[in-house]
Amino acid sequence: MTDMLSILAQHGYVLIFVVLLAEAGGLPFPASIALVAAGAGVASHALWGPSVVFVAIIALLLGDSVQFFLGRYMGWALLGFLCRVSMNPETCILRSAESFYKRGKVTLVISKFIPGVNSMAAPLAGSMKMRFAQFLRLDFLGALLYVSAYLTLGYLSRDFLAATLRSIHLAGRVMEIIVAAALVVYIAYRIVQACKYREYKVVPRVQVQELAARLTSDYPAKVMIVDVRSHGYYDIGAERIKGSIRIEPNNLEVEIKNLPREKDIYLYCT
Amino acid sequence: MAHILREKGFNTFVIVGGLTAWRKAGEPLESVPKDDLVKLPTFS
């Protein structure tokens, strides 16, 4: 605990700024833990409370604003990217947009407390063309709530934190074993996945030039170009390859009935 | 998706680089028809 407080006293404001900026920028940084530690630092007079609040809120607003403007200028592509890890990207995009439209204001205020939602709220607000002044106002409220909550927790539980840190030291060995086991499980999972995909026949890949040349000779009798992007159909002015059709990946079972078996099917995404 | 189509007997290929490569090569594009656009809600 003494070590931690000494680090906080020396580099506390910079550390808080960097960690909170990184987290607001979408990186997996433990901002809440940094704030709890800062709260303990305030309780032991290593840091000055109002400065911590100021630095933390500026970092959060800065990171969130970058995300907001990324969402504004990238349109739905950013949400599409964030939804790629979802089991069903199409549903993820539609549900996120509808849910945020209904509860967007409240979501912005509480989003920082909800892992996953915190990285999507600001870009969603940008994609959905929320006014920046309104976004900033709501985001400020959210940041103030978030920073105050964790600083207060750290401030009130300084003694508990010291005890916890001692326990964490003891539990360190156990954690190492758990992390190593998780790593082994993850590697095994990746190997199983790789073997599973090896069972499929390899799908031939064609270069753009090759297909373009084919289009001038065979098109459209033997060729069908299919757009399988899970986003790209949300922004006015969106483009696709000339003559292509869209197949929604999640609706494949239905769409497959209309595909011609006599044609070569060329798939593309973003 | 390409794997699934192949399994179902379709002669499927994947375009390397997707739409980005197609655009970079200067090949023809078209606007997505209005009827195909999915309307998502916006605040403005």
Side-chain angles (χ1 to χ4, degrees), chain A residues 76 94 101 128 200 204-206 211-212 228-229 233-234 238-243 247 252 261 264-267 269-270, chain B residues 1 3 6-8 11-16 18-20 22-23 27-33 36-38 40-43:
Chain A
W76 296 104
L94 293 172
Y101 184 70
M128 295 174 75
Y200 290 117
R205 300 161 78 83
V206 293
L211 175 59
V228 294
R229 288 176 293 172
Y233 281 77
Y234 306 130
E239 290 180 319
R240 66 183 184 185
I241 292 179
K242 193 175 179 187
I247 286 185
L252 187 59
R261 290 193 178 270
D264 291 341
I265 298 172
Y266 293 83
L267 307 176
C269 59
T270 311
Chain B
M1 185 164 159
H3 289 300
R6 283 231 142 212
E7 279 184 338
K8 303 263 182 193
N11 199 22
T12 317
F13 302 84
V14 172
I15 304 174
V16 177
L19 183 63
T20 310
W22 187 266
R23 183 179 283 123
E27 297 298 337
L29 297 165
E30 64 182 15
S31 294
V32 170
D36 283 4
L37 284 172
V38 180
L40 290 176
T42 60
F43 289 104

Tab-separated table of all heavy atoms in Angstrom, chain A residues 76 94 101 128 200 204-206 211-212 228-229 233-234 238-243 247 252 261 264-267 269-270, chain B residues 1 3 6-8 11-16 18-20 22-23 27-33 36-38 40-43:
chain	number	residue	atom	x	y	z
A	76	TRP	N	-22.086	3.858	-39.872
A	76	TRP	CA	-22.413	2.587	-39.243
A	76	TRP	C	-21.292	1.572	-39.365
A	76	TRP	O	-21.360	0.488	-38.795
A	76	TRP	CB	-23.701	2.032	-39.845
A	76	TRP	CG	-24.838	2.928	-39.552
A	76	TRP	CD1	-25.443	3.804	-40.426
A	76	TRP	CD2	-25.486	3.116	-38.298
A	76	TRP	NE1	-26.428	4.506	-39.779
A	76	TRP	CE2	-26.479	4.102	-38.471
A	76	TRP	CE3	-25.324	2.547	-37.034
A	76	TRP	CZ2	-27.297	4.527	-37.443
A	76	TRP	CZ3	-26.143	2.973	-36.010
A	76	TRP	CH2	-27.118	3.952	-36.226
A	94	LEU	N	-28.624	-3.820	-35.399
A	94	LEU	CA	-30.008	-3.326	-35.350
A	94	LEU	C	-30.471	-3.099	-33.912
A	94	LEU	O	-31.038	-2.059	-33.585
A	94	LEU	CB	-30.944	-4.327	-36.046
A	94	LEU	CG	-30.747	-4.463	-37.556
A	94	LEU	CD1	-31.568	-5.608	-38.100
A	94	LEU	CD2	-31.120	-3.174	-38.269
A	101	TYR	N	-31.411	4.361	-29.409
A	101	TYR	CA	-32.345	5.431	-29.791
A	101	TYR	C	-33.398	5.636	-28.698
A	101	TYR	O	-33.762	6.751	-28.357
A	101	TYR	CB	-33.015	5.089	-31.118
A	101	TYR	CG	-33.914	6.192	-31.613
A	101	TYR	CD1	-33.385	7.391	-32.071
A	101	TYR	CD2	-35.296	6.047	-31.596
A	101	TYR	CE1	-34.201	8.410	-32.510
A	101	TYR	CE2	-36.121	7.059	-32.040
A	101	TYR	CZ	-35.569	8.240	-32.490
A	101	TYR	OH	-36.384	9.248	-32.920
A	128	MET	N	-25.388	8.069	-34.737
A	128	MET	CA	-26.817	8.407	-34.775
A	128	MET	C	-27.050	9.908	-34.775
A	128	MET	O	-28.154	10.366	-34.536
A	128	MET	CB	-27.524	7.731	-33.603
A	128	MET	CG	-27.471	6.216	-33.744
A	128	MET	SD	-28.132	5.323	-32.351
A	128	MET	CE	-29.860	5.587	-32.620
A	200	TYR	N	-13.064	-28.346	-43.992
A	200	TYR	CA	-13.787	-27.814	-45.145
A	200	TYR	C	-12.852	-27.784	-46.346
A	200	TYR	O	-11.650	-27.654	-46.202
A	200	TYR	CB	-14.233	-26.372	-44.875
A	200	TYR	CG	-15.307	-26.244	-43.851
A	200	TYR	CD1	-15.054	-25.553	-42.664
A	200	TYR	CD2	-16.575	-26.759	-44.064
A	200	TYR	CE1	-16.048	-25.398	-41.712
A	200	TYR	CE2	-17.567	-26.612	-43.114
A	200	TYR	CZ	-17.295	-25.932	-41.940
A	200	TYR	OH	-18.269	-25.781	-41.014
A	204	PRO	N	-11.755	-21.222	-53.079
A	204	PRO	CA	-10.832	-20.508	-53.961
A	204	PRO	C	-11.001	-18.994	-53.835
A	204	PRO	O	-12.101	-18.503	-53.636
A	204	PRO	CB	-11.247	-20.972	-55.360
A	204	PRO	CG	-12.137	-22.123	-55.151
A	204	PRO	CD	-12.728	-22.011	-53.797
A	205	ARG	N	-9.890	-18.313	-53.950
A	205	ARG	CA	-9.914	-16.850	-53.836
A	205	ARG	C	-9.518	-16.276	-55.188
A	205	ARG	O	-8.634	-16.809	-55.855
A	205	ARG	CB	-8.943	-16.396	-52.749
A	205	ARG	CG	-9.298	-16.989	-51.389
A	205	ARG	CD	-8.137	-16.943	-50.435
A	205	ARG	NE	-7.958	-15.624	-49.871
A	205	ARG	CZ	-8.629	-15.170	-48.837
A	205	ARG	NH1	-9.519	-15.926	-48.255
A	205	ARG	NH2	-8.427	-13.963	-48.370
A	206	VAL	N	-10.177	-15.215	-55.588
A	206	VAL	CA	-9.838	-14.600	-56.876
A	206	VAL	C	-9.454	-13.144	-56.669
A	206	VAL	O	-9.980	-12.459	-55.796
A	206	VAL	CB	-11.009	-14.653	-57.889
A	206	VAL	CG1	-11.309	-16.064	-58.312
A	206	VAL	CG2	-12.236	-13.972	-57.344
A	211	LEU	N	-11.458	-11.321	-61.779
A	211	LEU	CA	-12.916	-11.289	-61.869
A	211	LEU	C	-13.368	-10.247	-62.893
A	211	LEU	O	-14.286	-10.499	-63.685
A	211	LEU	CB	-13.513	-10.983	-60.494
A	211	LEU	CG	-15.025	-10.800	-60.447
A	211	LEU	CD1	-15.751	-12.051	-60.952
A	211	LEU	CD2	-15.494	-10.479	-59.032
A	212	ALA	N	-12.709	-9.077	-62.865
A	212	ALA	CA	-13.082	-8.007	-63.807
A	212	ALA	C	-12.935	-8.500	-65.247
A	212	ALA	O	-13.790	-8.220	-66.093
A	212	ALA	CB	-12.211	-6.779	-63.552
A	228	VAL	N	-21.914	-9.806	-49.024
A	228	VAL	CA	-22.288	-10.459	-47.754
A	228	VAL	C	-21.894	-9.617	-46.540
A	228	VAL	O	-21.731	-10.146	-45.442
A	228	VAL	CB	-21.668	-11.871	-47.639
A	228	VAL	CG1	-22.242	-12.789	-48.682
A	228	VAL	CG2	-20.159	-11.835	-47.752
A	229	ARG	N	-21.757	-8.308	-46.762
A	229	ARG	CA	-21.415	-7.464	-45.606
A	229	ARG	C	-22.564	-7.453	-44.610
A	229	ARG	O	-23.727	-7.460	-44.999
A	229	ARG	CB	-21.172	-6.011	-46.073
A	229	ARG	CG	-19.889	-5.829	-46.836
A	229	ARG	CD	-19.770	-4.418	-47.342
A	229	ARG	NE	-20.782	-4.115	-48.360
A	229	ARG	CZ	-20.981	-2.911	-48.850
A	229	ARG	NH1	-20.280	-1.887	-48.415
A	229	ARG	NH2	-21.899	-2.714	-49.773
A	233	TYR	N	-25.335	-1.170	-45.544
A	233	TYR	CA	-26.639	-0.852	-46.111
A	233	TYR	C	-27.390	0.131	-45.213
A	233	TYR	O	-28.600	0.190	-45.233
A	233	TYR	CB	-27.437	-2.136	-46.305
A	233	TYR	CG	-26.998	-2.874	-47.544
A	233	TYR	CD1	-25.822	-3.614	-47.545
A	233	TYR	CD2	-27.709	-2.770	-48.725
A	233	TYR	CE1	-25.394	-4.260	-48.676
A	233	TYR	CE2	-27.282	-3.415	-49.868
A	233	TYR	CZ	-26.128	-4.167	-49.841
A	233	TYR	OH	-25.709	-4.799	-50.985
A	234	TYR	N	-26.654	0.872	-44.431
A	234	TYR	CA	-27.301	1.752	-43.472
A	234	TYR	C	-27.110	3.226	-43.797
A	234	TYR	O	-27.875	4.065	-43.348
A	234	TYR	CB	-26.775	1.475	-42.054
A	234	TYR	CG	-26.902	0.034	-41.665
A	234	TYR	CD1	-25.835	-0.668	-41.139
A	234	TYR	CD2	-28.111	-0.639	-41.843
A	234	TYR	CE1	-25.965	-2.002	-40.795
A	234	TYR	CE2	-28.238	-1.965	-41.501
A	234	TYR	CZ	-27.161	-2.646	-40.981
A	234	TYR	OH	-27.289	-3.966	-40.637
A	238	ALA	N	-24.383	4.725	-49.735
A	238	ALA	CA	-23.521	3.537	-49.634
A	238	ALA	C	-23.370	2.903	-51.019
A	238	ALA	O	-24.283	2.964	-51.844
A	238	ALA	CB	-24.149	2.538	-48.667
A	239	GLU	N	-22.215	2.323	-51.261
A	239	GLU	CA	-21.947	1.744	-52.579
A	239	GLU	C	-21.718	0.242	-52.494
A	239	GLU	O	-21.411	-0.294	-51.421
A	239	GLU	CB	-20.698	2.407	-53.179
A	239	GLU	CG	-20.924	3.851	-53.570
A	239	GLU	CD	-19.674	4.466	-54.168
A	239	GLU	OE1	-18.578	4.204	-53.648
A	239	GLU	OE2	-19.803	5.210	-55.159
A	240	ARG	N	-21.848	-0.397	-53.637
A	240	ARG	CA	-21.531	-1.825	-53.724
A	240	ARG	C	-21.005	-2.100	-55.133
A	240	ARG	O	-21.080	-1.226	-56.015
A	240	ARG	CB	-22.767	-2.662	-53.409
A	240	ARG	CG	-23.886	-2.508	-54.444
A	240	ARG	CD	-25.102	-3.310	-54.034
A	240	ARG	NE	-26.151	-3.260	-55.039
A	240	ARG	CZ	-27.344	-3.807	-54.882
A	240	ARG	NH1	-27.653	-4.412	-53.749
A	240	ARG	NH2	-28.253	-3.738	-55.831
A	241	ILE	N	-20.499	-3.284	-55.365
A	241	ILE	CA	-19.998	-3.639	-56.693
A	241	ILE	C	-21.167	-3.636	-57.672
A	241	ILE	O	-22.235	-4.180	-57.370
A	241	ILE	CB	-19.311	-5.024	-56.661
A	241	ILE	CG1	-18.021	-4.941	-55.828
A	241	ILE	CG2	-19.009	-5.506	-58.076
A	241	ILE	CD1	-17.276	-6.253	-55.700
A	242	LYS	N	-20.929	-3.012	-58.827
A	242	LYS	CA	-21.998	-2.875	-59.808
A	242	LYS	C	-22.526	-4.251	-60.216
A	242	LYS	O	-21.764	-5.147	-60.572
A	242	LYS	CB	-21.487	-2.129	-61.041
A	242	LYS	CG	-22.588	-1.682	-61.967
A	242	LYS	CD	-22.066	-0.857	-63.102
A	242	LYS	CE	-23.226	-0.461	-63.998
A	242	LYS	NZ	-22.768	0.199	-65.211
A	243	GLY	N	-23.836	-4.384	-60.148
A	243	GLY	CA	-24.467	-5.629	-60.563
A	243	GLY	C	-24.531	-6.687	-59.476
A	243	GLY	O	-25.038	-7.786	-59.716
A	247	ILE	N	-26.866	-10.626	-49.941
A	247	ILE	CA	-27.403	-11.747	-49.164
A	247	ILE	C	-27.055	-11.483	-47.712
A	247	ILE	O	-25.896	-11.265	-47.372
A	247	ILE	CB	-26.801	-13.096	-49.612
A	247	ILE	CG1	-27.394	-13.502	-50.955
A	247	ILE	CG2	-27.084	-14.177	-48.575
A	247	ILE	CD1	-26.958	-14.866	-51.422
A	252	LEU	N	-29.329	-16.828	-44.499
A	252	LEU	CA	-28.770	-17.661	-45.561
A	252	LEU	C	-29.683	-18.830	-45.938
A	252	LEU	O	-29.852	-19.134	-47.118
A	252	LEU	CB	-27.392	-18.174	-45.134
A	252	LEU	CG	-26.597	-18.916	-46.206
A	252	LEU	CD1	-26.366	-18.045	-47.417
A	252	LEU	CD2	-25.262	-19.394	-45.645
A	261	ARG	N	-27.724	-22.483	-59.271
A	261	ARG	CA	-26.629	-23.454	-59.152
A	261	ARG	C	-25.730	-23.459	-60.385
A	261	ARG	O	-24.603	-23.940	-60.331
A	261	ARG	CB	-27.201	-24.852	-58.924
A	261	ARG	CG	-27.829	-24.981	-57.549
A	261	ARG	CD	-28.123	-26.397	-57.173
A	261	ARG	NE	-28.680	-26.413	-55.820
A	261	ARG	CZ	-27.955	-26.527	-54.726
A	261	ARG	NH1	-26.652	-26.643	-54.818
A	261	ARG	NH2	-28.515	-26.516	-53.528
A	264	ASP	N	-21.280	-19.280	-61.231
A	264	ASP	CA	-20.197	-19.173	-60.249
A	264	ASP	C	-20.523	-17.998	-59.334
A	264	ASP	O	-20.855	-16.911	-59.815
A	264	ASP	CB	-18.859	-18.912	-60.957
A	264	ASP	CG	-18.413	-20.134	-61.744
A	264	ASP	OD1	-18.911	-21.234	-61.454
A	264	ASP	OD2	-17.583	-19.975	-62.651
A	265	ILE	N	-20.424	-18.215	-58.055
A	265	ILE	CA	-20.814	-17.177	-57.091
A	265	ILE	C	-19.573	-16.577	-56.451
A	265	ILE	O	-18.767	-17.285	-55.842
A	265	ILE	CB	-21.759	-17.756	-56.017
A	265	ILE	CG1	-23.040	-18.254	-56.713
A	265	ILE	CG2	-22.094	-16.722	-54.961
A	265	ILE	CD1	-23.966	-19.024	-55.796
A	266	TYR	N	-19.426	-15.272	-56.609
A	266	TYR	CA	-18.282	-14.542	-56.046
A	266	TYR	C	-18.757	-13.735	-54.843
A	266	TYR	O	-19.621	-12.880	-54.985
A	266	TYR	CB	-17.671	-13.615	-57.096
A	266	TYR	CG	-17.012	-14.359	-58.227
A	266	TYR	CD1	-17.750	-14.836	-59.296
A	266	TYR	CD2	-15.641	-14.601	-58.213
A	266	TYR	CE1	-17.147	-15.534	-60.329
A	266	TYR	CE2	-15.023	-15.303	-59.245
A	266	TYR	CZ	-15.788	-15.761	-60.297
A	266	TYR	OH	-15.189	-16.461	-61.314
A	267	LEU	N	-18.195	-14.017	-53.698
A	267	LEU	CA	-18.615	-13.323	-52.475
A	267	LEU	C	-17.628	-12.224	-52.110
A	267	LEU	O	-16.425	-12.367	-52.317
A	267	LEU	CB	-18.688	-14.304	-51.305
A	267	LEU	CG	-19.521	-15.572	-51.483
A	267	LEU	CD1	-19.384	-16.437	-50.247
A	267	LEU	CD2	-20.978	-15.232	-51.713
A	269	CYS	N	-16.946	-8.913	-49.014
A	269	CYS	CA	-17.388	-8.096	-47.887
A	269	CYS	C	-16.604	-6.791	-47.937
A	269	CYS	O	-16.149	-6.382	-49.000
A	269	CYS	CB	-17.245	-8.827	-46.559
A	269	CYS	SG	-15.571	-9.328	-46.217
A	270	THR	N	-16.448	-6.164	-46.793
A	270	THR	CA	-15.850	-4.826	-46.774
A	270	THR	C	-14.459	-4.819	-47.376
A	270	THR	O	-14.071	-3.913	-48.061
A	270	THR	CB	-15.773	-4.316	-45.328
A	270	THR	OG1	-17.045	-4.510	-44.732
A	270	THR	CG2	-15.414	-2.854	-45.286
B	1	MET	N	-19.459	-18.318	-44.589
B	1	MET	CA	-20.581	-18.383	-45.516
B	1	MET	C	-20.160	-19.079	-46.822
B	1	MET	O	-20.905	-19.869	-47.377
B	1	MET	CB	-21.073	-16.969	-45.817
B	1	MET	CG	-22.300	-16.956	-46.684
B	1	MET	SD	-23.089	-15.379	-46.625
B	1	MET	CE	-24.022	-15.473	-48.127
B	3	HIS	N	-17.868	-21.309	-47.096
B	3	HIS	CA	-17.761	-22.733	-46.787
B	3	HIS	C	-19.139	-23.400	-46.844
B	3	HIS	O	-19.292	-24.481	-47.409
B	3	HIS	CB	-17.171	-22.933	-45.388
B	3	HIS	CG	-15.727	-22.593	-45.297
B	3	HIS	ND1	-14.771	-23.227	-46.039
B	3	HIS	CD2	-15.068	-21.672	-44.552
B	3	HIS	CE1	-13.589	-22.716	-45.759
B	3	HIS	NE2	-13.746	-21.768	-44.859
B	6	ARG	N	-20.323	-23.795	-50.367
B	6	ARG	CA	-19.568	-24.880	-51.031
B	6	ARG	C	-20.130	-26.233	-50.613
B	6	ARG	O	-20.298	-27.134	-51.436
B	6	ARG	CB	-18.091	-24.819	-50.631
B	6	ARG	CG	-17.345	-23.731	-51.349
B	6	ARG	CD	-16.080	-24.234	-52.007
B	6	ARG	NE	-15.945	-23.544	-53.298
B	6	ARG	CZ	-15.392	-24.069	-54.369
B	6	ARG	NH1	-14.931	-25.282	-54.352
B	6	ARG	NH2	-15.307	-23.381	-55.486
B	7	GLU	N	-20.401	-26.360	-49.313
B	7	GLU	CA	-20.954	-27.625	-48.809
B	7	GLU	C	-22.292	-27.956	-49.448
B	7	GLU	O	-22.633	-29.117	-49.639
B	7	GLU	CB	-21.133	-27.537	-47.288
B	7	GLU	CG	-19.853	-27.795	-46.521
B	7	GLU	CD	-20.088	-27.791	-45.019
B	7	GLU	OE1	-21.080	-27.207	-44.558
B	7	GLU	OE2	-19.254	-28.386	-44.320
B	8	LYS	N	-23.047	-26.897	-49.789
B	8	LYS	CA	-24.375	-27.109	-50.392
B	8	LYS	C	-24.272	-27.311	-51.904
B	8	LYS	O	-25.276	-27.384	-52.590
B	8	LYS	CB	-25.272	-25.898	-50.113
B	8	LYS	CG	-25.438	-25.592	-48.641
B	8	LYS	CD	-26.704	-26.173	-48.086
B	8	LYS	CE	-26.848	-25.782	-46.615
B	8	LYS	NZ	-27.870	-26.551	-45.940
B	11	ASN	N	-20.722	-23.363	-56.607
B	11	ASN	CA	-19.346	-23.083	-56.989
B	11	ASN	C	-18.997	-21.665	-56.521
B	11	ASN	O	-19.287	-20.682	-57.189
B	11	ASN	CB	-19.197	-23.215	-58.512
B	11	ASN	CG	-17.755	-23.381	-58.909
B	11	ASN	OD1	-16.921	-23.798	-58.098
B	11	ASN	ND2	-17.434	-23.038	-60.133
B	12	THR	N	-18.399	-21.605	-55.350
B	12	THR	CA	-18.222	-20.313	-54.677
B	12	THR	C	-16.767	-19.857	-54.671
B	12	THR	O	-15.857	-20.682	-54.528
B	12	THR	CB	-18.685	-20.443	-53.204
B	12	THR	OG1	-19.896	-21.174	-53.173
B	12	THR	CG2	-18.890	-19.095	-52.584
B	13	PHE	N	-16.580	-18.564	-54.812
B	13	PHE	CA	-15.249	-17.954	-54.745
B	13	PHE	C	-15.310	-16.760	-53.791
B	13	PHE	O	-16.387	-16.206	-53.569
B	13	PHE	CB	-14.813	-17.446	-56.122
B	13	PHE	CG	-14.794	-18.511	-57.184
B	13	PHE	CD1	-15.965	-18.850	-57.864
B	13	PHE	CD2	-13.623	-19.174	-57.493
B	13	PHE	CE1	-15.956	-19.836	-58.840
B	13	PHE	CE2	-13.604	-20.158	-58.474
B	13	PHE	CZ	-14.778	-20.495	-59.154
B	14	VAL	N	-14.149	-16.372	-53.298
B	14	VAL	CA	-14.075	-15.174	-52.452
B	14	VAL	C	-13.201	-14.131	-53.150
B	14	VAL	O	-12.120	-14.453	-53.640
B	14	VAL	CB	-13.488	-15.507	-51.059
B	14	VAL	CG1	-13.227	-14.245	-50.258
B	14	VAL	CG2	-14.427	-16.425	-50.307
B	15	ILE	N	-13.705	-12.905	-53.225
B	15	ILE	CA	-12.930	-11.835	-53.864
B	15	ILE	C	-11.896	-11.313	-52.872
B	15	ILE	O	-12.260	-10.826	-51.795
B	15	ILE	CB	-13.852	-10.682	-54.326
B	15	ILE	CG1	-14.941	-11.223	-55.260
B	15	ILE	CG2	-13.047	-9.574	-54.994
B	15	ILE	CD1	-15.990	-10.196	-55.653
B	16	VAL	N	-10.635	-11.421	-53.227
B	16	VAL	CA	-9.552	-10.995	-52.318
B	16	VAL	C	-9.607	-9.475	-52.118
B	16	VAL	O	-9.642	-8.718	-53.081
B	16	VAL	CB	-8.166	-11.396	-52.893
B	16	VAL	CG1	-7.051	-10.894	-51.992
B	16	VAL	CG2	-8.079	-12.888	-53.085
B	18	GLY	N	-12.037	-7.744	-51.011
B	18	GLY	CA	-13.421	-7.273	-50.953
B	18	GLY	C	-13.673	-5.962	-51.677
B	18	GLY	O	-13.003	-5.632	-52.662
B	19	LEU	N	-14.637	-5.246	-51.153
B	19	LEU	CA	-15.063	-3.992	-51.795
B	19	LEU	C	-13.924	-2.974	-51.860
B	19	LEU	O	-13.807	-2.215	-52.831
B	19	LEU	CB	-16.252	-3.415	-51.014
B	19	LEU	CG	-16.886	-2.150	-51.583
B	19	LEU	CD1	-17.489	-2.411	-52.960
B	19	LEU	CD2	-17.958	-1.609	-50.656
B	20	THR	N	-13.078	-2.981	-50.837
B	20	THR	CA	-11.975	-2.008	-50.800
B	20	THR	C	-11.043	-2.222	-51.996
B	20	THR	O	-10.668	-1.253	-52.671
B	20	THR	CB	-11.179	-2.189	-49.486
B	20	THR	OG1	-12.097	-2.203	-48.405
B	20	THR	CG2	-10.184	-1.064	-49.287
B	22	TRP	N	-11.753	-3.732	-54.778
B	22	TRP	CA	-12.517	-3.453	-56.004
B	22	TRP	C	-12.514	-1.948	-56.293
B	22	TRP	O	-12.305	-1.508	-57.417
B	22	TRP	CB	-13.952	-3.954	-55.815
B	22	TRP	CG	-14.803	-3.896	-57.050
B	22	TRP	CD1	-15.646	-2.880	-57.406
B	22	TRP	CD2	-14.903	-4.876	-58.084
B	22	TRP	NE1	-16.261	-3.170	-58.595
B	22	TRP	CE2	-15.827	-4.397	-59.034
B	22	TRP	CE3	-14.307	-6.111	-58.304
B	22	TRP	CZ2	-16.160	-5.102	-60.183
B	22	TRP	CZ3	-14.648	-6.819	-59.456
B	22	TRP	CH2	-15.560	-6.320	-60.379
B	23	ARG	N	-12.750	-1.182	-55.243
B	23	ARG	CA	-12.775	0.281	-55.389
B	23	ARG	C	-11.389	0.794	-55.781
B	23	ARG	O	-11.268	1.632	-56.669
B	23	ARG	CB	-13.229	0.914	-54.070
B	23	ARG	CG	-13.359	2.431	-54.149
B	23	ARG	CD	-13.830	3.031	-52.838
B	23	ARG	NE	-15.258	2.838	-52.634
B	23	ARG	CZ	-15.796	2.228	-51.595
B	23	ARG	NH1	-15.026	1.757	-50.646
B	23	ARG	NH2	-17.099	2.098	-51.483
B	27	GLU	N	-12.706	-0.362	-60.427
B	27	GLU	CA	-13.789	-1.109	-61.089
B	27	GLU	C	-15.136	-0.460	-60.750
B	27	GLU	O	-15.262	0.238	-59.743
B	27	GLU	CB	-13.759	-2.576	-60.625
B	27	GLU	CG	-12.489	-3.332	-60.999
B	27	GLU	CD	-12.286	-3.425	-62.506
B	27	GLU	OE1	-13.267	-3.308	-63.261
B	27	GLU	OE2	-11.128	-3.602	-62.937
B	28	PRO	N	-16.153	-0.703	-61.599
B	28	PRO	CA	-17.416	0.030	-61.427
B	28	PRO	C	-18.185	-0.322	-60.151
B	28	PRO	O	-18.258	-1.481	-59.753
B	28	PRO	CB	-18.225	-0.365	-62.667
B	28	PRO	CG	-17.603	-1.618	-63.157
B	28	PRO	CD	-16.164	-1.572	-62.779
B	29	LEU	N	-18.738	0.732	-59.562
B	29	LEU	CA	-19.560	0.585	-58.357
B	29	LEU	C	-20.942	1.147	-58.662
B	29	LEU	O	-21.137	1.838	-59.658
B	29	LEU	CB	-18.942	1.389	-57.204
B	29	LEU	CG	-17.551	0.965	-56.732
B	29	LEU	CD1	-16.938	2.055	-55.878
B	29	LEU	CD2	-17.643	-0.325	-55.939
B	30	GLU	N	-21.872	0.866	-57.788
B	30	GLU	CA	-23.201	1.485	-57.917
B	30	GLU	C	-23.709	1.811	-56.514
B	30	GLU	O	-23.280	1.196	-55.533
B	30	GLU	CB	-24.168	0.534	-58.631
B	30	GLU	CG	-24.444	-0.743	-57.854
B	30	GLU	CD	-25.366	-1.711	-58.598
B	30	GLU	OE1	-25.561	-1.527	-59.808
B	30	GLU	OE2	-25.861	-2.640	-57.949
B	31	SER	N	-24.612	2.795	-56.465
B	31	SER	CA	-25.200	3.118	-55.168
B	31	SER	C	-26.142	1.988	-54.764
B	31	SER	O	-26.786	1.384	-55.616
B	31	SER	CB	-26.011	4.412	-55.258
B	31	SER	OG	-25.140	5.464	-55.524
B	32	VAL	N	-26.194	1.738	-53.474
B	32	VAL	CA	-27.142	0.735	-52.975
B	32	VAL	C	-28.553	1.272	-53.241
B	32	VAL	O	-28.847	2.416	-52.893
B	32	VAL	CB	-26.933	0.503	-51.463
B	32	VAL	CG1	-28.053	-0.340	-50.883
B	32	VAL	CG2	-25.590	-0.152	-51.218
B	33	PRO	N	-29.412	0.487	-53.908
B	33	PRO	CA	-30.772	0.975	-54.180
B	33	PRO	C	-31.481	1.394	-52.889
B	33	PRO	O	-31.292	0.752	-51.846
B	33	PRO	CB	-31.462	-0.242	-54.806
B	33	PRO	CG	-30.361	-1.095	-55.298
B	33	PRO	CD	-29.193	-0.861	-54.409
B	36	ASP	N	-33.185	-1.129	-50.782
B	36	ASP	CA	-32.339	-2.082	-50.050
B	36	ASP	C	-31.764	-1.490	-48.766
B	36	ASP	O	-31.260	-2.220	-47.913
B	36	ASP	CB	-31.161	-2.536	-50.928
B	36	ASP	CG	-31.614	-3.564	-51.966
B	36	ASP	OD1	-32.820	-3.836	-52.023
B	36	ASP	OD2	-30.754	-4.075	-52.705
B	37	LEU	N	-31.811	-0.159	-48.663
B	37	LEU	CA	-31.224	0.474	-47.475
B	37	LEU	C	-32.025	0.121	-46.232
B	37	LEU	O	-33.256	0.110	-46.256
B	37	LEU	CB	-31.205	1.994	-47.633
B	37	LEU	CG	-30.131	2.583	-48.547
B	37	LEU	CD1	-30.363	4.069	-48.745
B	37	LEU	CD2	-28.739	2.345	-47.989
B	38	VAL	N	-31.310	-0.182	-45.171
B	38	VAL	CA	-31.960	-0.467	-43.889
B	38	VAL	C	-31.989	0.838	-43.102
B	38	VAL	O	-30.946	1.466	-42.905
B	38	VAL	CB	-31.161	-1.528	-43.099
B	38	VAL	CG1	-31.827	-1.822	-41.774
B	38	VAL	CG2	-31.038	-2.799	-43.922
B	40	LEU	N	-31.957	2.926	-40.025
B	40	LEU	CA	-31.675	2.889	-38.592
B	40	LEU	C	-32.025	4.259	-38.016
B	40	LEU	O	-31.903	5.267	-38.704
B	40	LEU	CB	-30.201	2.578	-38.351
B	40	LEU	CG	-29.755	1.150	-38.698
B	40	LEU	CD1	-28.266	0.998	-38.513
B	40	LEU	CD2	-30.481	0.142	-37.848
B	41	PRO	N	-32.460	4.288	-36.770
B	41	PRO	CA	-32.887	5.574	-36.200
B	41	PRO	C	-31.720	6.536	-35.972
B	41	PRO	O	-30.604	6.095	-35.693
B	41	PRO	CB	-33.502	5.167	-34.855
B	41	PRO	CG	-32.877	3.864	-34.538
B	41	PRO	CD	-32.581	3.191	-35.831
B	42	THR	N	-31.981	7.831	-36.136
B	42	THR	CA	-30.971	8.847	-35.810
B	42	THR	C	-31.619	9.935	-34.953
B	42	THR	O	-32.845	10.080	-34.956
B	42	THR	CB	-30.377	9.506	-37.064
B	42	THR	OG1	-31.437	10.121	-37.782
B	42	THR	CG2	-29.654	8.517	-37.947
B	43	PHE	N	-30.812	10.678	-34.255
B	43	PHE	CA	-31.333	11.725	-33.366
B	43	PHE	C	-31.685	13.006	-34.117
B	43	PHE	O	-32.329	13.876	-33.582
B	43	PHE	CB	-30.321	12.045	-32.267
B	43	PHE	CG	-30.197	10.946	-31.260
B	43	PHE	CD1	-29.103	10.101	-31.263
B	43	PHE	CD2	-31.180	10.730	-30.312
B	43	PHE	CE1	-28.983	9.073	-30.347
B	43	PHE	CE2	-31.076	9.703	-29.387
B	43	PHE	CZ	-29.970	8.874	-29.404
